[in-house]
Amino acid sequence: MAEKTYFYHVGCDVCADAERQFANNLDKTKFEIERVHLGEKPARRAEAKAAGVKTVPAFVIAGKPYHINFGANLADLK
Amino acid sequence: MAEKTYFYHVGCDVCADAERQFANNLDKTKFEIERVHLGEKPARRAEAKAAGVKTVPAFVIAGKPYHINFGANLADLK
């Protein structure tokens, strides 16, 4: 069964690039990816933070955070 | 044609985890991934550095670096 996976981003260039190269190209039989824009959905920030996400873009796979390059600090989002 | 892609690592736990989740699961029709252990192959560090790799684990896709979490600084490798 595909692992429920989260891709957190804020629509930034670094985020879009990470989405294009990674989120769009991971094996769909293994990962079911939900893309979450934390700028548009501030209510979702708590779950990202709880999973250990410090910066975006980042994936959470099996409860673990994977930060890809640096777009923005979660703590800096308004 | 699959894009020639590099996955640079030093055999660390963070590296192995990134390899398992990302390098092993990216679409093989789009990416032809060469895994390069920069601890065992110091002669390859220059190419990684030239592509902008600062830390490992990191991918280089189409000449651009994608750092995933933090395992080690390239500059700290002996």
Side-chain angles (χ1 to χ4, degrees), chain B residues 28-66:
Chain B
K28 288 173 181 59
T29 68
K30 295 191 178 171
F31 301 99
E32 181 202 336
I33 301 177
E34 180 182 357
R35 293 158 173 78
V36 183
H37 190 311
L38 293 179
E40 296 173 351
K41 293 179 178 169
R44 304 289 299 271
R45 291 177 197 167
E47 72 181 46
K49 191 176 172 185
V53 173
K54 306 283 189 195
T55 61
V56 286
F59 286 87
V60 171
I61 305 174
K64 290 181 61 179
Y66 298 87

Side-chain angles (χ1 to χ4, degrees), chain B:
Chain B
M1 199 176 75
E3 173 91 40
K4 175 76 184 192
T5 298
Y6 301 88
F7 177 70
Y8 295 105
H9 68 98
V10 294
C12 61
D13 287 348
V14 173
C15 299
D17 195 29
E19 180 173 12
R20 186 170 62 89
Q21 299 291 24
F22 294 93
N24 293 353
N25 292 316
L26 283 170
D27 188 336
K28 288 173 181 59
T29 68
K30 295 191 178 171
F31 301 99
E32 181 202 336
I33 301 177
E34 180 182 357
R35 293 158 173 78
V36 183
H37 190 311
L38 293 179
E40 296 173 351
K41 293 179 178 169
R44 304 289 299 271
R45 291 177 197 167
E47 72 181 46
K49 191 176 172 185
V53 173
K54 306 283 189 195
T55 61
V56 286
F59 286 87
V60 171
I61 305 174
K64 290 181 61 179
Y66 298 87
H67 305 90
I68 298 190
N69 286 343
F70 175 80
N73 282 308
L74 198 59
D76 292 340
L77 300 180
K78 303 297 178 191

Side-chain angles (χ1 to χ4, degrees), chain A residues 1-5 27-33:
Chain A
M1 199 177 73
E3 174 89 40
K4 175 76 184 190
T5 298
D27 187 337
K28 288 172 182 58
T29 68
K30 296 191 179 173
F31 302 99
E32 181 202 336
I33 302 177

